[in-house]
Amino acid sequence: TKSRAFYEFIRQIGECKSKSDEDVIMQKESMYLRALLGAPKIEKERIREIMLRLMYLEMLGHDASFGYIHAVKACVESDVTIKRSGYLATSSFLNENHDLIILIVNTVQQDLRSDDYLVVCAALTTITELVNEDTVPAVLPQVVDLLMHSVSHVRKKAVMALARFYQKSPQSVSHLHGKFREMICDKDPSVMSAAVCALYELISTDPTAHKNLTSSFVSVLKQVIDRRLPKAYEYHKTPAPFVQIKLLKILAILGAHDRETSSEMYSVLEDTLARAELSKNQIGNALVYETVRTIASIYPNPQLLAQCALVISRFIKSRNNNLKYVGLNALACIVNVNPSYAAEHQMAVVDCLEDDDETLRKKTLDLLYKMTKPNNVEVIVERMLAFLKRDGDRYSDQYMRAEAASRVAELAERYAPDAKWYVETMTALFESAGDAVKPSIGQSLMRLIAEGTGDAVADELSRKSAVNAYVKLFKRPKLPLVLLQVMVWVIGEFGELSGKSSEELMDLLIDAVDTQMEGNAIETLALSAIAKIATRSGGSLSAKALRAVERNTSSKSITKQQRANEIMALMAESPSVRTSVLAPYAMELTIDRSLAVMNQHVANALAQGAKSYQSKAQRDAEKAAAAEAQSKAIESSVMKAKNSRGTGPLVFEHHKADVPQAPPPRQAPVDDLDMFFGGGATSPATTVATQMPPPQKISAPEVDESKAKLADALFGNAPPLKKESAPVTLAGFAPPPRGAPTMRSSAPPSAAPFDLLSALDAPAPVIPAMTNLVPSSSSSQTAPVDLLSQLDLISAAPAARPQQSSANA
């Protein structure tokens, strides 16, 4: 039982007159609960009340996070009331991504196997709120087992949990779609309705896979409307209306664009509509609306559509705006199938434009747009124009006015009976809603007046009608900018059709510029119109027009100044010049897409060596071919360079001399890398016969460690070099391995500082011929060796390990 303090707390919240009073009470409650939960021991009898107080604190917008862990602990309690309170509080406090969710997964798994169905239901309700994609596999097997539970309430919640799993992670329950089908046949109506809701989610995603269930849904709907369910499922004497609505939505999806499937449901839909019409209450109206939507969604049946149109008339003629709105929605669904069924409701729908309800007016505009046809366009457009002419303060929604103006312009252009009616309608549209008309609509009107329809008599009549109407409109003090632009252009092109002289037309335009609020914006266009009128009348300007042009020759606007100076210059020219420069009437432009006028210029350019035009595809193909040719040329040059360095392997012939002779001293100290890069080896294109002295011991020179590391990085994995090494005996000469120090004299000279980059950039030094070691028959000096040839030689020749002579060991 709850304490008296709890009831007092609830009473104080209900009596608060302001948010500040409520905040004071909740802050005191928060401090009280913090102190209570901070105690070392809490009485179990008070845990339920504490959970409820925490929920009030959280729901009214205050921080209750200090009690989240206590709500999770309450879920573990053995007492059913405390456990259910803990589950309720946890589902209210936490979301599916909260860190504390992991703490209740094990508890939920245990409670799903409980013998107490109240505990099982509490756990199922909680997982539908807190489950996420990661926790679904942990509880899915237990939920599937509960589909066979003996208590119907548990089975219903298990189906609801599986439906929630499908919403969170469809792939986790993809193998359980058959379970939903089985639960439709459950003997308990609550389980069946839960399965219907779950199947609605599946069918919305993939209708084709579930079309074989159409007969089952039809059978269920038939049993529902025949009142075979218990009385407990009736709502305002209507049997299970929410189940009926869900079944109707399913049938609408399954029967869309499918004649065979739709034929199975015609009979039950007719019965459903007839019985829902008899209810005459709000839930019955809801069933009527949903049935009409279903009939309009499936394959059309004329009898059903006619019955729907008859039922909808009651909604549209109702004084209740809610029913009117529902009727307009339902009628819009039928119009999409067959507009003829809405013909009898045409005037009733038009009358809804004058309703005070703004939402109803918007829906009426949409419906009228769908209902318009060539035979009723004049009536509907007339009523829509009347709607736009009404008080602007009362109908101040600019978006709706702009939308209505666009709809009128589109309907007039699409279904206009003749050009005269179109011009008059557009003029009325500019006049009544010029501030909401898009500039593109005015341009379309000017194009139609200029180009005409091909009938000379009708075009002349429509132009004369437009000119006369615009001449009268100029007397009004305030006109929209779009309408003024159209009027000035029409007067400049066809003003003489009104019967007025050119001077009167020019004065009319100048007066419009001076008197209209948007006159400054149309002054440039008026100057052009005056120039055209003057060109047709012989080049003379009226007194007002002349003063206006002279005034604009010094205008601050560059455009007006340029236009005025051009007019003054043209009026001083001959009529032939004026006519050639400024066309007296609007003419349809003929576009020469072949640009034949440029042929002579192109021929002259080609004769002078210009390159002919190529399309983008041709240019891209040419670039690709050039790139490929360049790549092949580079590859060919590389192959030629490799072939020119040698045609066969390098052969060395070693001969022993009778008397060993020491090599002459070198002219400059050269270290190992100097000799390697300097071309100490002979050209690979020549076979050299060398004569070596007897093996002798020489000491390995000191090698700079930094140079050795650099050589190792450049030429491969060289063996580690040491500053002092044991003397080696040269048995025979072989090309050194990569990175290995090259052979030099036994008397090592002092190493000079050596820069590798400088050695690479400088020309290869000429090494004196070692005549005592390698006699040559052609020259006493060896030629410089190319570095690339030396690198290829080293990489191609096998590395011979120096052998130590046993005689000198």
Side-chain angles (χ1 to χ4, degrees):
T1 59
K2 304 174 185 64
S3 63
R4 180 175 298 179
F6 177 76
Y7 290 106
E8 182 67 18
F9 166 66
I10 301 301
R11 185 186 63 79
Q12 291 177 359
I13 294 176
E15 293 177 356
C16 288
K17 297 182 179 181
S18 64
K19 178 64 177 174
S20 58
D21 295 343
E22 181 184 288
D23 291 342
V24 172
I25 296 174
M26 298 312 296
Q27 288 175 2
K28 292 181 180 179
E29 182 68 15
S30 177
M31 295 175 61
Y32 170 72
L33 291 176
R34 286 178 184 271
L36 192 62
L37 293 175
K41 187 176 181 181
I42 305 175
E43 298 179 3
K44 288 189 176 182
E45 292 77 9
R46 303 196 60 183
I47 293 179
R48 183 184 179 190
E49 180 180 329
I50 292 173
M51 293 297 106
L52 295 178
R53 286 173 176 260
L54 285 172
M55 290 175 63
Y56 269 99
L57 191 66
E58 182 82 9
M59 287 187 297
L60 293 177
H62 295 266
D63 182 27
S65 58
F66 59 88
Y68 289 178
I69 188 63
H70 295 280
V72 173
K73 290 180 180 178
C75 298
V76 190
E77 294 291 338
S78 58
D79 188 273
V80 176
T81 56
I82 298 177
K83 182 184 287 291
R84 295 181 67 186
S85 301
Y87 275 132
L88 179 61
T90 301
S91 59
S92 301
F93 296 155
L94 308 183
N95 57 62
E96 61 184 32
N97 298 319
H98 200 278
D99 296 336
L100 294 177
I101 293 298
I102 194 66
L103 299 179
I104 67 170
V105 172
N106 187 45
T107 304
V108 169
Q109 288 177 331
Q110 295 177 0
D111 291 341
L112 289 176
R113 292 189 290 266
S114 175
D115 296 333
D116 192 340
Y117 79 95
L118 295 177
V119 174
V120 176
C121 290
L124 287 171
T125 304
T126 302
I127 62 175
T128 56
E129 295 291 334
L130 303 180
V131 71
N132 55 37
E133 190 172 357
D134 297 330
T135 56
V136 165
V139 296
L140 182 60
Q142 291 89 344
V143 175
V144 173
D145 293 339
L146 292 176
L147 293 175
M148 299 293 107
H149 201 276
S150 58
V151 179
S152 61
H153 198 58
V154 175
R155 297 199 302 273
K156 180 187 73 172
K157 287 188 174 293
V159 174
M160 295 169 61
L162 289 178
R164 184 62 172 171
F165 293 168
Y166 176 78
Q167 294 177 351
K168 292 294 181 179
S169 178
Q171 65 276 7
S172 63
V173 296
S174 58
H175 61 289
L176 298 176
H177 292 182
K179 295 290 185 181
F180 294 115
R181 293 169 175 253
E182 295 176 5
M183 302 312 291
I184 297 180
C185 304
D186 194 277
K187 59 184 179 180
D188 190 271
S190 63
V191 181
M192 178 270 297
S193 61
V196 168
C197 295
L199 282 170
Y200 175 73
E201 299 286 342
L202 301 178
I203 294 172
S204 300
T205 305
D206 185 12
T208 306
H210 301 84
K211 284 187 179 292
N212 54 358
L213 288 176
T214 303
S215 58
S216 300
F217 291 125
V218 169
S219 175
V220 172
L221 181 58
K222 183 66 175 175
Q223 295 180 47
V224 171
I225 63 176
D226 286 344
R227 299 180 181 272
R228 295 187 181 181
L229 299 184
K231 286 284 186 180
Y233 290 93
E234 291 188 2
Y235 178 79
H236 287 271
K237 299 182 180 180
T238 302
F242 303 105
V243 177
Q244 290 189 54
I245 290 175
K246 190 64 70 174
L247 288 169
L248 289 171
K249 289 183 177 181
I250 292 176
L251 294 178
I253 298 174
L254 294 175
H257 311 293
D258 191 338
R259 184 172 186 174
E260 183 179 356
T261 304
S262 300
S263 61
E264 300 181 28
M265 57 185 76
Y266 287 154
S267 177
V268 70
L269 290 177
E270 184 178 2
D271 293 343
T272 304
L273 182 62
R275 300 195 184 195
E277 176 66 12
L278 296 175
S279 298
K280 303 296 183 182
N281 54 20
Q282 294 297 331
I283 193 62
N285 294 333
L287 282 173
V288 169
Y289 171 68
E290 197 61 47
T291 307
V292 170
R293 288 190 59 187
T294 303
I295 293 172
S297 300
I298 64 176
Y299 193 86
N301 181 282
Q303 182 180 354
L304 288 178
L305 289 174
Q307 187 176 354
C308 291
L310 182 63
V311 171
I312 289 173
S313 61
R314 180 172 62 87
F315 291 168
I316 296 177
K317 297 175 182 178
S318 173
R319 296 182 180 180
N320 188 335
N321 283 345
N322 292 330
L323 290 181
K324 280 186 178 181
Y325 188 87
V326 171
L328 291 175
N329 265 337
L331 190 58
C333 296
I334 297 178
V335 166
N336 290 332
V337 180
N338 191 343
S340 62
Y341 291 107
E344 60 180 294
H345 308 295
Q346 178 176 304
M347 298 310 300
V349 173
V350 171
D351 291 338
C352 292
L353 280 176
E354 301 176 1
D355 198 278
D356 294 335
D357 192 331
E358 182 178 347
T359 306
L360 194 59
R361 293 199 304 272
K362 287 182 180 181
K363 181 58 65 176
T364 304
L365 282 175
D366 295 337
L367 182 57
L368 285 176
Y369 177 74
K370 296 178 180 179
M371 291 173 59
T372 305
K373 295 297 175 187
N375 58 346
N376 62 4
V377 63
E378 297 182 27
V379 176
I380 292 179
V381 168
E382 181 183 357
R383 297 304 295 266
M384 295 177 76
L385 288 174
F387 162 74
L388 290 171
K389 289 179 182 178
R390 299 186 64 174
D391 187 5
D393 294 333
R394 187 180 180 188
Y395 301 100
S396 58
D397 188 351
Q398 290 299 319
Y399 170 78
M400 190 170 65
R401 287 177 59 81
E403 185 71 16
S406 299
R407 294 286 176 85
V408 170
E410 185 177 350
L411 293 176
E413 185 175 358
R414 184 186 301 177
Y415 302 115
D418 51 60
K420 180 182 177 181
W421 180 87
Y422 177 75
V423 173
E424 292 175 353
T425 301
M426 298 306 295
T427 302
L429 174 63
F430 290 139
E431 185 180 357
S432 58
D435 56 336
V437 177
K438 299 178 182 179
S440 59
I441 299 176
Q443 295 169 5
S444 300
L445 177 59
M446 289 187 287
R447 184 177 66 251
L448 177 65
I449 295 175
E451 297 176 357
T453 59
D455 187 351
V457 177
D459 294 341
E460 187 75 11
L461 182 62
S462 63
R463 289 167 184 168
K464 186 175 181 179
S465 174
V467 171
N468 292 331
Y470 294 157
V471 168
K472 294 178 182 179
L473 283 176
F474 270 124
K475 299 179 182 179
R476 297 192 180 184
K478 183 181 178 181
L479 293 173
L481 177 59
V482 178
L483 179 57
L484 278 173
Q485 291 173 344
V486 175
M487 291 167 60
V488 170
W489 181 85
V490 171
I491 296 298
E493 298 291 339
F494 311 103
E496 289 80 3
L497 296 176
S498 64
K500 295 182 178 294
S501 64
S502 59
E503 288 78 8
E504 290 176 334
L505 294 175
M506 294 181 192
D507 293 344
L508 183 66
L509 293 174
I510 297 302
D511 291 340
V513 171
D514 294 337
T515 58
Q516 291 291 333
M517 295 183 63
E518 301 289 349
N520 189 41
I522 64 169
E523 190 169 7
T524 304
L525 189 59
L527 290 175
S528 299
I530 289 171
K532 284 202 169 189
I533 295 174
T535 301
R536 294 194 297 268
S537 63
S540 60
L541 298 174
S542 67
K544 283 185 178 181
L546 182 60
R547 287 195 298 270
V549 173
E550 290 176 346
R551 183 179 69 245
N552 280 284
T553 55
S554 57
S555 174
K556 294 181 179 180
S557 173
I558 301 298
T559 305
K560 295 178 183 178
Q561 185 182 131
Q562 179 182 356
R563 193 68 54 86
N565 286 309
E566 289 173 350
I567 293 174
M568 295 299 292
L570 284 173
M571 294 303 106
E573 298 291 340
S574 62
S576 60
V577 174
R578 290 195 299 269
T579 305
S580 62
V581 173
L582 189 65
Y585 295 99
M587 296 185 301
E588 184 178 356
L589 297 178
T590 303
I591 300 175
D592 184 8
R593 299 187 180 275
S594 63
L595 296 178
V597 70
M598 298 292 294
N599 291 342
Q600 186 60 38
H601 175 74
V602 172
N604 294 338
L606 291 175
Q608 295 176 3
K611 190 177 180 180
S612 61
Y613 172 76
Q614 292 181 335
S615 64
K616 186 177 184 302
Q618 292 174 337
R619 294 195 298 271
D620 294 343
E622 186 176 352
K623 289 180 181 179
E628 185 178 359
Q630 184 179 5
S631 175
K632 291 182 178 179
I634 295 174
E635 183 179 355
S636 177
S637 62
V638 172
M639 295 299 297
K640 288 180 180 179
K642 290 185 177 181
N643 295 333
S644 64
R645 293 173 188 155
T647 56
L650 189 64
V651 180
F652 295 95
E653 296 181 2
H654 305 286
H655 302 276
K656 292 184 179 180
D658 295 336
V659 181
Q661 298 179 2
R666 299 185 180 184
Q667 296 178 0
V670 181
D671 64 357
D672 299 333
L673 289 174
D674 289 337
M675 187 170 183
F676 182 77
F677 286 106
T682 56
S683 173
T686 308
T687 304
V688 182
T690 58
Q691 185 175 2
M692 296 296 294
Q696 64 182 30
K697 293 182 180 180
I698 58 174
S699 301
E702 294 183 1
V703 180
D704 190 351
E705 185 176 358
S706 63
K707 295 181 180 179
K709 291 181 179 179
L710 182 58
D712 180 35
L714 289 173
F715 305 111
N717 298 324
L721 303 176
K722 299 180 181 179
K723 293 185 178 180
E724 295 182 1
S725 59
V728 296
T729 303
L730 297 177
F733 181 81
R738 289 195 177 194
T742 55
M743 181 176 61
R744 65 179 182 178
S745 174
S746 58
S750 59
F754 174 71
D755 185 4
L756 177 60
L757 296 177
S758 301
L760 289 172
D761 294 335
V766 179
I767 306 301
M770 295 181 287
T771 54
N772 295 331
L773 292 176
V774 183
S776 175
S777 60
S778 61
S779 176
S780 60
Q781 292 184 350
T782 58
V785 179
D786 184 13
L787 175 61
L788 292 175
S789 302
Q790 186 67 24
L791 292 175
D792 291 344
L793 172 65
I794 295 172
S795 61
R801 186 180 299 276
Q803 299 178 0
Q804 191 174 19
S805 176
S806 59
N808 298 327

